[in-house]
Amino acid sequence: MKRQNGYPIKTKRQENKMNSDVRKNLEEYILSAREKHYRITWSHVRNREDALDIIQESIYRALSYRGDLNPQHMETWFCTVLINTARDHLRKNSRITLMEEQALTREIEKTAETPSQSSFEDREILSSALEKLSEQEREIIILRYFENMELSEVAEITSRKLSTVKSTLYRSLRKLKAIIE
């Protein structure tokens, strides 16, 4: 293999093709986490058909990707693709539909680990409080607490600095607390 400055030089054929093992791992990951992808996408567009279209477009974009992809960062990378595709969709359509209370309640029920963790009343209060947050604040809370992502992953997915994500998260939690009380 030819080298330049100690690094291997890729041929045109290698540049235009994702490693088959990485592609297979990506396909397996996409299939195994499809519910998570739907929740993330739906939290942005709040419409079933749009969410499914965005997921399909994201999968196409991911499988068409021609660069290097580190398997250790595959989940974070694909979530970033999902969120960016959702943002493109919202920008393109210039509309953001308001979240229906019942739909959010169903979403919260799905993501709760056990039904006994919170009562129906608590979910109602939480859903109405989440509706009062900005899209950015809601996005960070959903990724952190409903998708159980680390703050560093949330920062990478949202293309924000870790310190910005932390401050937004804690400010949002204070707002939620004030709204609920």
Side-chain angles (χ1 to χ4, degrees), residues 55-65:
I55 291 169
Q56 183 176 4
E57 175 66 22
S58 298
I59 291 170
Y60 173 77
R61 287 181 182 183
L63 294 176
S64 299
Y65 181 68

Side-chain angles (χ1 to χ4, degrees), residues 94-172:
S94 301
R95 66 176 174 84
I96 300 176
T97 58
L98 295 176
M99 184 178 296
E100 297 174 7
E101 188 174 335
Q102 290 178 343
L104 179 58
T105 302
R106 283 194 306 266
E107 186 67 17
I108 291 170
E109 288 172 350
K110 271 191 211 176
T111 57
E113 291 180 20
T114 62
S116 62
Q117 279 186 327
S118 59
S119 68
F120 181 74
E121 255 181 42
D122 292 341
R123 284 187 227 124
E124 289 290 319
I125 293 168
L126 180 59
S127 67
S128 64
L130 282 171
E131 287 177 12
K132 295 176 182 176
L133 297 177
S134 71
E135 184 66 30
Q136 176 185 1
E137 294 167 334
R138 192 171 34 245
E139 176 181 68
I140 289 172
I141 287 178
I142 288 171
L143 291 174
R144 175 69 177 111
Y145 294 108
F146 292 97
E147 298 302 330
N148 296 321
M149 292 187 175
E150 296 294 323
L151 288 174
S152 58
E153 291 177 308
V154 174
E156 190 173 335
I157 288 170
T158 59
S159 301
R160 294 182 179 96
K161 293 180 181 178
L162 180 59
S163 59
T164 304
V165 169
K166 285 179 180 180
S167 63
T168 304
L169 176 65
Y170 298 125
R171 183 178 60 246
S172 303

